[in-house]
Amino acid sequence: MANVVVVGAQWGDEGKGKIVDWLSERADVIARFQGGHNAGHTLVIDGKVYKLHVLPSGVVRGGKLSVIGNGVVLDPWHLVKEIATVREQGVDISKETLMIAENTPLILPIHGELDRAREEAASKGTKIGTTGRGIGPCYEDKVGRRAIRVADLADPATLEARVDRALQHHNPLRKGLGMPEVNREELIAQLAEIAPQVLEFAAPVWKVLNEKRKAGKRILFEGAQGALLDIDFGTYPFVTSSNVIAGQAATGVGIGPGSIDYVLGIVKAYTTRVGEGPFPTELDDADGERLGTRGHEFGTTTGRKRRCGWFDAALVRQTCATSGITGISLTKLDVLDGFETLKICVGYELDGERLDYLPTAADQQARCKPIYEEMDGWSESTEGARSWNDLPAAAIKYVKRVEELIECPVALLSTSPERDDTILVTDPFAD
Ligand code: IMP
């Protein structure tokens, strides 16, 4: 397999960082294709912890090309800071190792301000619980054809015209929210100052990746967030503003859909969610607390406590379908160690009827009651297991039942944050 897409199959935070890092050793190119610095990917390599938000995980491995594709929204000031942080940790970043698509839209300070102002102004029930990073407003400007893109930074006259176009939209909007007008000259000066530090990495990514593909190089597409936060197929409107599902890998860098050979879905052995929105299997009790504590469920980007609940097989079956997932990587199985009984959601009850998927209408989603199947837990530790023989019979039974219910095989099983604590069933990059 030449090209592998990694996507989160729940609401994000499934443990993609470790798996992407594990696979990136075998890849030549690692590409981000959606999202922005709302993501938080933690990598633990030889005990050293790297926290990445917008840089592809490949940057921490020498000799790889890391790519930020046009599907990403890029905050240039954040980018420069993140590069400085990882450089301080000894990571080599140059224009040979990092490329940014010229058609990537830029997140401006006004996007973050708008994001936060809207959240503050939202009434109960309408708040999204965003990361406040300006992701939504930037994607709105992209679709509204008024975004400033990386290539615009190269020409002062174009940049000024783009700023004026954006402000024509933003100033009236800000006025309505009681925010001050944007200082045009200051914004232009800020952009002009940061421009060289971004342009250093600018490249026609679509062209470079197509050449790499023709040369037989292996491309790893690194998804951020999770399929249930997808703008089309997630729990709308409590979603992020990009397509998160695997199909976005193609449009988010400019490569044909036929170039994708394997889609690996990352699936946590239970469920978590940050921010607002429906969560049928959420636990508000001691079991939920226990999952959160054992699983260290706090957001990498915002530090917020994640909501926790039982594994929802109906939802993952759905995301396996919408992303065309070939195989999954099941993560954090060890967090379930010591539970006497485990529950798996197999479908929902809605107004007396049984459904095997979560309906689209928000009011129906809110009324769906999970239908559970109970399984025996295990008392032994699975932490650090590296082969099936290291797992108790009840844990194997749980994994097999997950596979059956989601109708997708397990390719990898991750049993700790350490990269080698992984049980390999199928190598997504194997021919
Ligand atoms: P936004 O992406 O900042 O607009 O936030 C929209 C929703 O997506 C909120 O519920 C966030 O908590 C959630 N979200 C965004 N990025 C991540 C992530 O990397 N992991 C988990 N949830 C995320």
Side-chain angles (χ1 to χ4, degrees):
M1 299 288 175
N3 304 323
V4 174
V5 180
V6 174
V7 285
Q10 290 149 313
W11 278 292
D13 311 310
E14 298 91 352
K16 290 182 288 293
K18 165 183 158 171
I19 307 296
V20 167
D21 174 51
W22 192 81
L23 287 170
S24 67
E25 208 169 45
R26 269 164 268 202
D28 301 295
V29 181
I30 296 93
R32 277 280 307 265
F33 56 89
Q34 51 72 229
H37 64 311
N38 49 349
H41 291 171
T42 306
L43 309 179
V44 184
I45 301 171
D46 300 329
K48 209 166 171 180
V49 181
Y50 301 88
K51 286 191 190 294
L52 302 176
H53 296 280
V54 73
L55 289 173
S57 297
V59 293
V60 300
R61 301 254 155 225
K64 313 280 173 191
L65 172 63
S66 287
V67 165
I68 294 180
N70 55 280
V72 170
V73 282
L74 181 69
D75 179 327
W77 297 276
H78 172 87
L79 172 82
V80 167
K81 257 195 248 157
E82 194 169 316
I83 289 177
T85 306
V86 294
R87 274 185 176 150
E88 271 167 33
Q89 289 187 285
V91 172
D92 167 44
I93 296 189
S94 67
K95 60 180 194 304
E96 278 70 47
T97 61
L98 176 67
M99 282 184 192
I100 301 174
E102 294 163 322
N103 46 348
T104 305
L106 298 178
I107 300 180
L108 309 176
I110 54 175
H111 293 133
E113 286 164 23
L114 184 58
D115 192 359
R116 294 187 291 273
R118 280 175 175 162
E119 285 286 276
E120 272 163 34
S123 52
K124 199 171 178 291
T126 62
K127 217 182 263 297
I128 308 285
T130 72
T131 59
R133 301 287 195 268
I135 305 296
C138 184
Y139 276 117
E140 285 169 35
D141 279 0
K142 169 180 172 171
V143 178
R145 294 164 289 193
R146 55 178 175 267
I148 298 171
R149 308 198 300 177
V150 167
D152 300 328
L153 294 171
D155 178 55
T158 307
L159 184 59
E160 286 201 23
R162 292 278 187 269
V163 167
D164 285 336
R165 194 181 163 94
L167 295 193
Q168 251 178 22
H169 173 82
H170 278 272
N171 275 333
L173 199 59
R174 289 168 69 93
K175 199 171 170 196
L177 284 161
M179 297 163 74
E181 262 204 4
V182 179
N183 183 330
R184 174 185 184 271
E185 307 312 320
E186 195 185 321
L187 178 57
I188 291 171
Q190 284 175 329
L191 285 165
E193 193 193 347
I194 202 84
Q197 296 174 75
V198 179
L199 289 170
E200 181 186 347
F201 304 104
V205 155
W206 64 271
K207 190 169 182 292
V208 174
L209 288 193
N210 276 280
E211 283 160 9
K212 294 277 181 199
R213 187 182 59 80
K214 282 187 192 152
K217 300 291 181 198
R218 289 168 157 184
I219 307 172
L220 178 63
F221 295 90
E222 177 181 9
Q225 290 87 46
L228 296 171
L229 290 169
D230 183 270
I231 186 75
D232 288 301
F233 293 100
T235 44
Y236 192 91
F238 303 99
V239 291
T240 192
S241 295
S242 63
N243 278 117
V244 174
I245 58 174
Q248 171 65 18
T251 48
V253 299
I255 209 163
S259 304
I260 294 167
D261 303 298
Y262 193 103
V263 180
L264 183 70
I266 314 297
V267 177
K268 205 183 306 203
Y270 51 100
T271 314
T272 62
R273 167 161 212 177
V274 235
E276 307 300 317
F279 181 172
T281 62
E282 183 170 13
L283 290 168
D284 257 336
D285 58 9
D287 284 339
E289 278 296 315
R290 186 187 160 116
L291 289 171
T293 312
R294 287 186 55 99
H296 310 290
E297 297 297 353
F298 294 91
T300 320
T301 300
T302 58
R304 287 181 291 176
K305 195 171 169 184
R306 297 179 187 140
R307 300 154 65 191
C308 297
W310 295 121
F311 184 73
D312 192 334
L315 276 181
V316 176
R317 189 165 55 234
Q318 216 163 306
T319 56
C320 281
T322 52
S323 270
I325 292 174
T326 324
I328 66 157
S329 171
L330 194 67
T331 62
K332 294 187 130 179
L333 185 68
D334 55 295
V335 174
L336 300 181
D337 295 353
F339 276 96
E340 213 165 282
T341 310
L342 298 166
K343 289 186 182 176
I344 300 181
C345 170
V346 295
Y348 311 98
E349 198 223 285
L350 175 68
D351 305 334
E353 276 191 47
R354 195 187 163 112
L355 294 180
D356 64 356
Y357 70 100
L358 193 67
T360 305
D363 65 305
Q364 294 190 348
Q365 288 184 349
R367 290 204 311 282
C368 274
K369 301 260 176 302
I371 299 170
Y372 285 117
E373 193 175 282
E374 286 199 359
M375 297 196 72
D376 287 339
W378 53 91
S379 54
E380 303 89 331
S381 167
T382 61
E383 193 183 343
R386 294 185 181 188
S387 88
W388 290 102
N389 295 336
D390 297 338
L391 294 178
I396 296 176
K397 213 168 156 190
Y398 183 82
V399 176
K400 295 286 164 202
R401 189 64 187 136
V402 165
E403 276 184 324
E404 257 170 34
L405 289 168
I406 65 169
E407 298 167 11
C408 192
V410 168
L412 297 160
L413 200 67
S414 163
T415 56
S416 101
E418 279 296 332
R419 68 199 310 263
D420 294 331
D421 292 341
T422 305
I423 300 173
L424 177 64
V425 182
T426 310
D427 181 352
F429 272 127
D431 290 325

